[in-house]
Amino acid sequence: MSTRGTLVISLDFELIWGIFDHVSLDQKQHYFDNTLAVIPEILEQFSLRNVAATWATVGMLLNENWEEWEHNKPEILPTYSNTKLNPYLYGETHRKSGFDRFFFAPQLVKLITQTKGQELASHTYSHYYCLESGQTLQQFEADCKKAQEMGQKFDCKLTSLVFPRNQYNTAYLETCSNNGITTVRSNPSSWYWNVDGKETLPKKIFRTLDAYLPLGDKSYAIPSVSGHDVLAQPASRFLRPQGGNDFLNNLRLKRITDEIIAAAKSCQVYHLWWHPHNFGNDPKGSLQALKTILDTFIHCKESYGMESKTMQQLSQKQ
């Protein structure tokens, strides 16, 4: 066990590439514009409080434009049985949509890399789904290679990875290791976070209740290497988006701050994650909640010696 508690924050930075099968782009313009505007503010809050964070970024966002996107297609593309998940087909049909800013964000990526304490990590190149039928390990490897190649554009070697949609696949860890990845975010151990099995109503209900009610400890001792020299770091808590109910918002926030304090007191790891676009509906309220969370960390740092680490930094403590 660590001699100090540790706060790990990871963000799944994906914009439209992460949810295009769920939303209509033309109806989400305000939402994604809010997201683009709030990311520098998130970085500023991290910087002001000297808080580290891992930005697991979809590699496609690192392209400058559609011409570069076309040039950077991997040698082998995913062959999902569900073609609605195919980002290459989606990209081809939306090249003239006029919403390029939701597909490419190299300047924001540059800002992340230039902000102290921030780690640029992989969310795969194409928001790759490792548990979907039709895709293969060889296709995943081609995706991994392209993600590393894109990271080199920003003088970054990507050593941390977050599996899109939390489709954590232990069979793919060796390929991760062979392509420079030393640590990945894994899912909480609770049964209702198991993505291998069928999605059920009880799972959805318990995941929702878990955000507001104490359904078990969420912090843990520093994890050990899980195999293939890749460290699996379980997520503790997903920072749910702000809703319209202040009581539930405050209950959710208290749940998180109480968990951070508990992790600090017990010298354990607490891993909080979200997507930047989760701040898109209510940027002001979301930023205020983030400030409360970060101020709780500062209190724990001053009172209990809690540390702030990126995923990469935590893995180096092994």
Side-chain angles (χ1 to χ4, degrees):
M1 181 182 292
S2 171
T3 57
R4 294 184 179 186
T6 305
L7 174 66
V8 177
I9 292 176
S10 61
L11 300 94
D12 300 4
F13 182 24
E14 49 194 45
L15 296 181
I16 189 60
W17 295 117
I19 56 174
F20 65 77
D21 57 315
H22 290 324
V23 303
S24 173
L25 182 56
D26 58 349
Q27 295 178 356
K28 285 290 185 178
Q29 180 176 348
H30 185 63
Y31 177 78
F32 282 119
D33 278 332
N34 282 346
T35 301
L36 295 174
V38 81
I39 288 173
E41 297 188 65
I42 294 173
L43 287 167
E44 182 180 11
Q45 294 306 316
F46 288 156
S47 181
L48 286 172
R49 295 166 177 79
N50 198 27
V51 170
T54 294
W55 294 74
T57 303
V58 171
M60 285 183 174
L61 290 175
L62 279 63
N63 290 299
E64 294 282 348
N65 49 47
W66 287 111
E67 289 72 23
E68 188 175 359
W69 176 82
E70 183 69 34
H71 173 76
N72 281 321
K73 285 183 178 179
E75 294 182 3
I76 309 174
L77 302 182
T79 53
Y80 304 120
S81 299
N82 180 3
T83 57
K84 291 183 179 179
L85 298 176
N86 192 319
Y88 299 98
L89 293 178
Y90 184 81
E92 290 293 350
T93 58
H94 288 78
R95 292 179 66 148
K96 297 182 179 180
S97 65
F99 295 121
D100 290 13
R101 63 191 182 280
F102 305 149
F103 291 87
F104 312 116
Q107 294 306 312
L108 281 178
V109 173
K110 185 177 181 181
L111 183 61
I112 291 168
T113 63
Q114 292 177 340
T115 302
K116 182 181 178 181
Q118 308 306 296
E119 175 194 8
L120 183 66
S122 178
H123 202 32
T124 71
Y125 178 69
S126 65
H127 205 256
Y128 192 100
Y129 302 117
C130 294
L131 293 176
E132 292 294 334
S133 64
Q135 56 83 32
T136 69
L137 185 59
Q138 290 72 26
Q139 294 166 2
F140 175 68
E141 182 166 25
D143 187 280
C144 286
K145 291 182 183 299
K146 181 56 67 174
Q148 286 290 6
E149 181 183 319
M150 297 302 293
Q152 291 173 8
K153 284 184 52 180
F154 294 81
D155 298 319
C156 294
K157 181 179 180 181
L158 310 181
T159 61
S160 304
L161 179 142
V162 172
F163 290 99
R165 300 266 167 96
N166 296 309
Q167 292 191 9
Y168 178 72
N169 191 336
T170 56
Y172 283 27
L173 292 179
E174 183 174 6
T175 297
C176 290
S177 179
N178 291 341
N179 287 276
I181 299 300
T182 60
T183 187
V184 298
R185 192 180 74 207
S186 57
N187 297 322
S189 57
S190 305
W191 63 270
Y192 44 87
W193 282 105
N194 180 14
V195 298
D196 293 333
K198 183 180 179 181
E199 180 71 337
T200 64
L201 182 59
K203 283 185 179 181
K204 293 180 180 179
I205 292 174
F206 271 82
R207 283 201 300 268
T208 300
L209 291 175
D210 186 44
Y212 305 102
L213 303 175
L215 297 184
D217 294 334
K218 300 304 175 184
S219 57
Y220 52 88
I222 292 180
S224 59
V225 174
S226 62
H228 306 299
D229 298 322
V230 175
L231 179 76
Q233 304 185 29
S236 299
R237 168 71 58 206
F238 170 56
L239 176 59
R240 294 173 68 91
Q242 287 281 112
N245 187 303
D246 288 342
F247 173 77
L248 291 180
N249 286 334
N250 292 333
L251 191 63
R252 172 207 60 163
L253 189 57
K254 186 177 187 304
R255 181 88 166 97
I256 293 172
T257 56
D258 285 350
E259 288 171 343
I260 292 174
I261 294 170
K265 289 181 175 179
S266 61
C267 299
Q268 292 193 320
V269 176
Y270 186 78
H271 190 146
L272 181 69
W273 73 277
W274 70 93
H275 310 87
H277 66 246
N278 294 140
F279 283 21
N281 281 330
D282 182 5
K284 183 178 179 180
S286 299
L287 280 172
Q288 187 57 52
L290 177 60
K291 291 175 185 178
T292 299
I293 291 168
L294 298 183
D295 286 344
T296 298
F297 163 73
I298 295 300
H299 163 72
C300 290
K301 178 181 179 181
E302 294 172 348
S303 301
Y304 311 109
M306 194 176 206
E307 300 175 312
S308 171
K309 298 287 185 182
T310 64
M311 288 177 60
Q312 178 188 43
Q313 289 169 335
L314 185 70
S315 69
Q316 292 172 343
K317 296 178 71 172
Q318 306 311 300

